[in-house]
């Protein structure tokens, strides 16, 4: 059951700060960033020692997220805690990488940030839409957290979580204009 919440956690990390970071992560679910991270790791020419340390860092981060997932928090508190974990991971990552590798990572991060900003401008959400989407995310965050109190098998939990994610997307899409939906569909198709 916790596996579903971990997935929610990762989705939340990528999506929850979307209004501050750009709507691209929220609407894509971070897929683009994951692809970029994999490509970046290949381009960094990591040593075996670095690969081993990064693997350990990912496991440590996963454990921190698991522990965080069991805490009773509001979505905003959860996002802040998750951001803190991400910041710690970034510091530890910089201890593993060489200065040249760190510059490559920073360059890619700047590219992602620019893409987010461009996406947000193109999507052109009004303040009212942002507020409604935030309320929808709060509502579904609570519903997803409530799943963890239910006696479900892992398969049932995963199925219910997927159902809630689909419902949230549908509710969020109702807030968008026809033009925004067309733009979003086009951008999603680019990601496939």
């Amino acid at each position: 059951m916790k596996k579903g919440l971990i997935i929610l956690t990762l989705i939340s990390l990528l999506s929850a700060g979307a209004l501050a970071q750009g709507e691209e992560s929220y609407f894509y679910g971070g897929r683009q960033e994951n692809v970029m991270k994999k490509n970046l790791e290949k381009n960094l020419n990591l040593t075996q020692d670095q690969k081993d340390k990064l693997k350990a860092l990912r496991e440590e981060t996963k454990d921190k997220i698991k522990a965080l997932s069991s805490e009773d928090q509001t979505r905003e508190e959860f996002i802040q805690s998750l951001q803190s974990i991400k910041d710690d991971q970034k510091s530890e990552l910089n201890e593993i990488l060489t200065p040249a590798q760190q510059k490559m990572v920073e360059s890619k991060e700047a590219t992602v940030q620019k893409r987010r900003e461009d996406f947000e401008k193109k999507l052109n959400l009004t303040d009212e839409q942002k507020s409604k989407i935030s309320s929808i995310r709060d509502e579904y965050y609570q519903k997803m957290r409530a799943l963890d109190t239910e006696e479900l098998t892992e398969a049932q939990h995963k199925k219910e979580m997927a159902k809630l994610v689909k419902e949230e997307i549908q509710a969020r899409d109702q807030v968008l204009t026809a033009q925004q939906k067309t733009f979003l569909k086009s951008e999603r198709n680019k990601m496939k």
Side-chain angles (χ1 to χ4, degrees):
M1 280 188 254
K2 290 294 178 189
K3 193 174 201 177
L5 190 53
I6 291 170
I7 292 168
L8 167 65
T9 300
L10 295 174
I11 291 170
S12 294
L13 174 61
L14 296 168
S15 66
L19 295 178
Q21 298 175 352
E23 289 299 321
E24 180 178 23
S25 292
Y26 179 72
F27 289 104
Y28 286 157
R31 282 182 278 176
Q32 183 174 11
E33 288 181 32
N34 289 335
V35 169
M36 287 186 71
K37 282 180 187 177
K38 286 180 184 177
N39 289 336
L40 180 61
E41 284 182 13
K42 288 179 186 176
N43 295 331
L44 287 175
N45 296 320
L46 299 171
T47 65
Q48 188 58 48
D49 183 53
Q50 287 175 313
K51 290 177 184 177
D52 293 341
K53 287 178 180 178
L54 286 174
K55 183 177 180 180
L57 177 59
R58 281 192 290 269
E59 289 300 317
E60 178 186 329
T61 302
K62 189 182 346 179
D63 291 343
K64 288 179 182 178
I65 291 171
K66 277 184 187 178
L68 178 63
S69 298
S70 65
E71 296 178 18
D72 185 28
Q73 305 180 64
T74 66
R75 186 174 63 87
E76 289 78 17
E77 292 167 338
F78 182 76
I79 292 165
Q80 289 173 352
S81 298
L82 211 47
Q83 186 61 49
S84 177
I85 290 171
K86 184 179 177 184
D87 292 344
D88 291 346
Q89 183 185 34
K90 175 75 172 163
S91 294
E92 292 178 44
L93 175 67
N94 283 335
E95 292 176 17
I96 296 170
L97 300 178
T98 66
Q101 290 169 325
Q102 289 175 26
K103 286 185 182 192
M104 286 179 70
V105 169
E106 289 170 9
S107 174
K108 290 295 183 182
E109 288 174 345
T111 299
V112 169
Q113 182 62 30
K114 173 77 169 106
R115 208 172 274 156
R116 283 180 181 152
E117 291 167 1
D118 291 347
F119 181 88
E120 185 174 359
K121 286 177 188 172
K122 290 176 185 174
L123 188 58
N124 197 25
L125 293 174
T126 66
D127 289 341
E128 182 180 357
Q129 287 174 310
K130 290 176 184 179
S131 177
K132 286 179 181 178
I133 289 171
S134 182
S135 294
I136 290 166
R137 290 192 332 229
D138 286 339
E139 174 188 348
Y140 280 90
Y141 172 79
Q142 292 304 323
K143 288 180 179 182
M144 290 174 187
R145 294 288 298 212
L147 279 180
D148 289 327
T149 62
E150 296 182 21
E151 297 290 326
L152 300 172
T153 66
E154 188 169 337
Q156 289 171 325
H157 187 272
K158 187 175 180 178
K159 183 179 178 181
E160 290 300 313
M161 185 69 74
K163 180 181 169 187
L164 286 174
V165 169
K166 185 176 180 178
E167 288 175 11
E168 179 185 1
I169 290 169
Q170 290 171 343
R172 184 210 55 231
D173 284 353
Q174 295 302 310
V175 175
L176 302 175
T177 66
Q179 183 178 7
Q180 289 167 325
K181 289 177 187 178
T182 300
F183 169 73
L184 187 56
K185 184 176 181 179
S186 167
E187 292 298 303
R188 283 181 180 152
N189 287 336
K190 290 179 188 176
M191 297 305 299
K192 292 182 179 177

